[in-house]
Amino acid sequence: TISIDISEDAQRDLDRLHEWSYNCGIEQADFQLAGQEIDGHLDVSSTAASYTPAGSPVLYVPQEVILSATSAREEFGHLEAVENLLQSNGNGEYIPHFYLMLKILVELERGTESPYYSYLNSLPRYFSNGVAMTLFCYTCLPPLVAKLCKQERTLFN
């Protein structure tokens, strides 16, 4: 199997994402993905191609395509030792996150054999927000901004 290149400068494969989403039954309103290169990295956003009234659905994703903690736990079964460890460390509320991350890691390991390969290969590898910053990045920021970014990182760690 071919694995997904997770380096920061890896190209995002949006063409296969469109094909994959169509084949999975994902339906979208009249919008398109627009890419713009910022600091050497592809930044992707969606733009409406025509008028869409407020409150209109813009995307339909079939339940069987959604990666969820519940379906991951059903797939892998109840991992009692892991859940007990998380509970004993005061992190019981993160048990669903564990199952979801386990599912994502398994699908990444499967590479092209994964039904989610095209989706995973389209995701960004470079992030320029507080969560993705290194400790050195914080030293380059004004003190209040650095503090807020560290709090954001702690929240999502």
Side-chain angles (χ1 to χ4, degrees):
T1 63
I2 297 172
S3 63
I4 293 172
D5 181 359
I6 59 170
S7 62
E8 283 187 359
D9 59 345
Q11 292 295 313
R12 297 175 65 186
D13 191 349
L14 298 178
D15 291 334
R16 287 206 180 118
L17 172 66
H18 289 292
E19 181 182 326
W20 173 82
S21 64
Y22 176 80
N23 291 336
C24 289
I26 296 172
E27 299 173 16
Q28 67 182 37
D30 192 16
F31 73 88
Q32 60 191 16
L33 294 177
Q36 177 183 4
E37 192 164 311
I38 299 176
D39 296 331
H41 300 281
L42 180 63
D43 183 46
V44 179
S45 60
S46 61
T47 58
S50 62
Y51 173 74
T52 304
S56 299
V58 293
L59 193 65
Y60 165 76
V61 181
Q63 180 68 36
E64 61 273 7
V65 178
I66 297 172
L67 290 170
S68 72
T70 303
S71 62
R73 187 169 189 232
E74 289 172 5
E75 179 180 339
F76 300 119
H78 175 72
L79 302 175
E80 188 173 346
V82 174
E83 290 190 23
N84 288 341
L85 179 64
L86 287 169
Q87 289 284 5
S88 69
N89 289 329
N91 293 303
E93 70 268 18
Y94 297 110
I95 290 171
H97 298 184
F98 165 78
Y99 282 104
L100 183 57
M101 284 307 303
L102 177 61
K103 175 64 175 171
I104 291 169
L105 291 172
V106 165
E107 296 304 328
L108 281 169
E109 185 177 58
R110 289 179 179 162
T112 56
E113 301 298 315
S114 169
Y116 294 97
Y117 176 80
S118 295
Y119 168 70
L120 295 169
N121 200 35
S122 73
L123 295 175
R125 274 66 155 207
Y126 175 80
F127 302 91
S128 56
N129 56 33
V131 174
M133 289 184 173
T134 65
L135 295 177
F136 174 75
C137 292
Y138 297 135
T139 64
C140 301
L141 297 173
L144 177 59
V145 176
K147 179 182 176 185
L148 294 173
C149 289
K150 286 178 186 177
Q151 288 174 345
E152 183 180 22
R153 183 179 182 149
T154 301
L155 176 68
F156 289 101
N157 250 347

